[in-house]
């Protein structure tokens, strides 16, 4: 179980599974995974998104990938550092196909214009207070063109570029992009992240509980909190606020 193992090796391909994250977590807990193990599924019956939401994806149309990663530092800065490493990798990978108007929406969604192209869910395994494993789930819209009730809130590579792609081939490319970011994660990955931050220095509408307000997005701090400015500067934890369209 060496962190020097290349990400994407081994690469496990599944036809249908409830959730690639669940499968990868089960492997890690049973001692059947190593750093770099990748789990790809052509379909998920219960795909997982942020804040316990479902990740809905048409069968065989998109990329659903979970990576088993061995953390190197068990602290909050490292936890956020892992999050931005994966977000940077997904952004960099998609930038090979979409060179313009691609952003990272805090904490780690990938947006094209104002539409969601990819989402990331990181779940952690702790044993006796020790951070043993991180499972990074990455979902990217590839060939799907009908997103149902989501409508134009979501977007796929096919919609942007007008052609179809092979999801499993793209999943292997994504593993390479994550490996590159992982190798360079100690060299200020936040610089890349902040330079592509969605709505940076723009005014947005946010909601916290029953409070609806406008603020300007400024940055993300070292603990992963969104920094916004209105009459005062405020820092918000992941899950503490919602974006209001």
């Amino acid at each position: 179980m060496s962190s020097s193992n290349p990400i994407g090796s081994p690469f496990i391909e599944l036809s249908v599974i409830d959730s690639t994250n669940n499968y990868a977590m089960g492997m890690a807990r049973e001692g059947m995974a190593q750093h770099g193990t990748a789990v790809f599924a052509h379909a998920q019956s219960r795909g997982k998104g942020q804040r316990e939401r479902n990740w809905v994806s048409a069968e065989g149309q998109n990329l659903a990938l979970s990576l088993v990663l061995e953390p190197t530092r068990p602290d909050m800065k490292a936890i956020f550092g892992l999050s931005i490493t994966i977000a940077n990798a997904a952004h960099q990978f998609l930038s090979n196909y979409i060179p313009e108007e691609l952003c990272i929406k805090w904490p780690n969604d990938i947006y094209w214009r104002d539409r969601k192209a990819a989402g990331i869910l990181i779940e952690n395994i702790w044993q006796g207070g020790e951070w043993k494993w991180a499972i990074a789930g990455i979902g990217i819209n590839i060939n799907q063109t009908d997103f149902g009730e989501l409508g134009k809130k979501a977007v796929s590579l096919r919609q942007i570029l007008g052609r179809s792609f092979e999801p499993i081939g793209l999943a292997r490319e994504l593993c390479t992009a994550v490996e590159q970011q992982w190798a360079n994660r100690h060299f200020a990955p936040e610089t890349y992240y902040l330079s592509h931050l969605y709505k940076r220095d723009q005014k947005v509408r946010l909601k916290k509980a029953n409070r609806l307000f406008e603020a300007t997005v400024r940055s993300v701090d070292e603990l992963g909190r969104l920094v916004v400015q209105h009459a005062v500067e405020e820092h918000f934890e992941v899950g503490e606020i919602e974006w209001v369209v």
Side-chain angles (χ1 to χ4, degrees), residues 71-93:
T72 55
R73 290 203 336 267
D75 55 61
M76 288 305 295
K77 290 182 181 180
I79 291 173
F80 179 58
L82 173 62
S83 177
I84 65 174
T85 294
I86 302 302
N88 288 352
H91 182 278
Q92 192 171 60
F93 161 73

Side-chain angles (χ1 to χ4, degrees), residues 26-220:
M27 289 186 66
R29 287 195 172 108
E30 294 297 323
M32 298 173 63
Q34 61 187 24
H35 172 85
T37 298
V39 178
F40 172 89
H42 291 277
Q44 296 182 103
S45 59
R46 293 197 300 275
K48 300 165 74 173
Q50 291 282 356
R51 302 177 70 177
E52 299 184 358
R53 293 172 178 157
N54 292 329
W55 179 264
V56 180
S57 175
E59 182 174 348
Q61 295 295 303
N62 302 313
L63 187 158
L65 180 73
S66 291
L67 304 173
V68 179
L69 304 170
E70 188 174 19
T72 55
R73 290 203 336 267
D75 55 61
M76 288 305 295
K77 290 182 181 180
I79 291 173
F80 179 58
L82 173 62
S83 177
I84 65 174
T85 294
I86 302 302
N88 288 352
H91 182 278
Q92 192 171 60
F93 161 73
L94 282 171
S95 293
N96 293 327
Y97 297 91
I98 311 168
E100 298 179 345
E101 301 183 89
L102 196 68
C103 297
I104 303 172
K105 183 180 179 184
W106 177 83
N108 50 23
D109 288 334
I110 310 299
Y111 267 54
W112 178 73
R113 297 181 179 174
D114 291 318
R115 301 169 69 180
K116 187 172 181 176
I120 295 166
L121 175 66
I122 297 177
E123 298 182 289
N124 299 301
I125 297 175
W126 298 82
Q127 293 179 3
E130 183 181 357
W131 188 18
K132 297 292 293 184
W133 298 104
I135 310 299
I138 308 169
I140 301 180
N141 300 324
I142 304 298
N143 295 320
Q144 190 167 342
T145 57
D146 183 357
F147 290 96
E149 62 182 22
L150 289 176
K152 291 188 176 181
K153 292 181 179 179
V155 70
S156 67
L157 271 180
R158 182 177 177 180
Q159 288 176 313
I160 298 168
L161 300 175
R163 60 190 178 95
S164 298
F165 296 84
E166 178 51 58
I168 193 167
L170 294 182
R172 293 183 184 276
E173 288 181 30
L174 178 58
C175 288
T176 299
V178 175
E179 174 65 28
Q180 291 171 346
Q181 286 288 330
W182 184 267
N184 295 319
R185 67 192 184 281
H186 301 301
F187 297 96
E190 65 276 3
T191 301
Y192 184 96
Y193 180 92
L194 293 175
S195 69
H196 295 94
L197 184 64
Y198 178 72
K199 299 293 186 183
R200 188 177 187 186
D201 296 326
Q202 296 182 45
K203 188 172 288 186
V204 298
R205 297 176 70 208
L206 301 169
K207 183 179 181 182
K208 180 180 179 181
N210 294 322
R211 174 190 168 204
L212 185 64
F213 62 101
E214 289 189 342
T216 300
V217 174
R218 292 302 188 200
S219 186
V220 177

